[in-house]
Amino acid sequence: TVAAAMALPGRCASGQEIDETLAAAVKGAYMFSLAQYTSWPTQCLEGAEAPFVNQILGDDPHGIEAVLTDAIRQKALTVQGHPVTVRTATSVSEFPAALMDACHLLFLTRTMKAHWERVETALADRPIITVGEFAGFAEAGGMVEFSPRRRPGGRTVTIDMHVNLEAVRESDLRISAQLLGLPKGVKIV
């Protein structure tokens, strides 16, 4: 697992508050970086017009969808030259296999922790980078885990990005060494 970190004012996730709006912005930025620095098999992004699909699965009370959608619209963001689409589903039943086949990055919110095993089984070797914001996601077979951590001696919280390289490789994906080699907060588990 690899971790990248960005400092946030607030408190740690161990029951203490953090600025969830700012955390959503950081997570959104991390997701765009992941998308830019990940290589998918050629058949996954055929043709310049094929959209890159970010799927959010679970309740989104802190606005990850809004962060991604606003960034796409305001900055005309693309992923590796492809237009970006953001889709949402609040439950596993709203995310059938047909939608999985068109997905490139799947973000699972905290509300999906109890459903991760079912989602992981359903993904079965599809080249979809999985990102979760709940503790233990990377150790449970997820690819990228966002985890808040209190910095020593202060009120600042860092969002760590843990990357499970084994899970990434098993899905025929490659994350660039440029992203994995970030000097702060990058941790391989």
Side-chain angles (χ1 to χ4, degrees), residues 18-26 62 67:
I18 66 170
D19 182 340
E20 291 291 353
T21 303
L22 183 55
V26 171
H62 305 296
V67 165

Side-chain angles (χ1 to χ4, degrees), residues 1-6 30 145 149 158-165 175-189:
T1 302
V2 174
M6 183 172 234
Y30 280 164
E145 176 184 330
R149 171 181 50 89
T158 299
I159 298 287
D160 290 336
M161 183 176 69
H162 303 272
V163 179
N164 179 336
L165 289 178
I175 297 178
S176 169
Q178 287 180 303
L179 183 66
L180 299 179
L182 292 174
K184 292 194 177 198
V186 176
K187 178 181 173 187
I188 298 179
V189 180

Side-chain angles (χ1 to χ4, degrees), residues 123-142:
L123 292 175
D125 301 323
R126 286 181 170 90
I128 299 171
I129 194 154
T130 57
V131 180
E133 65 174 356
F134 47 87
F137 182 72
E139 279 100 16

Side-chain angles (χ1 to χ4, degrees), residues 96-140:
L99 291 180
M100 286 181 203
D101 290 338
C103 178
H104 301 95
L105 187 148
L106 174 62
F107 178 73
L108 293 96
T109 68
R110 291 179 195 115
T111 60
M112 289 291 106
K113 183 174 184 171
H115 305 283
W116 166 238
E117 195 173 306
R118 180 176 165 199
V119 171
E120 182 183 29
T121 300
L123 292 175
D125 301 323
R126 286 181 170 90
I128 299 171
I129 194 154
T130 57
V131 180
E133 65 174 356
F134 47 87
F137 182 72
E139 279 100 16

Side-chain angles (χ1 to χ4, degrees), residues 32-109:
F32 273 109
S33 293
L34 276 167
Q36 293 294 3
Y37 289 99
T38 299
S39 298
W40 278 262
T42 339
Q43 72 274 14
C44 293
L45 287 166
E46 290 185 50
E49 298 302 312
F52 180 91
V53 179
N54 280 300
Q55 176 74 49
I56 298 169
L57 184 57
D59 295 335
D60 184 22
H62 305 296
I64 298 282
E65 178 197 14
V67 165
L68 293 174
T69 303
D70 289 348
I72 293 164
R73 185 177 51 248
Q74 292 174 5
K75 299 176 183 175
L77 293 176
T78 62
V79 170
Q80 301 176 19
H82 294 271
V84 181
T85 300
V86 179
R87 296 187 314 214
T88 61
T90 57
S91 69
V92 175
S93 63
E94 293 177 29
F95 187 53
L99 291 180
M100 286 181 203
D101 290 338
C103 178
H104 301 95
L105 187 148
L106 174 62
F107 178 73
L108 293 96
T109 68

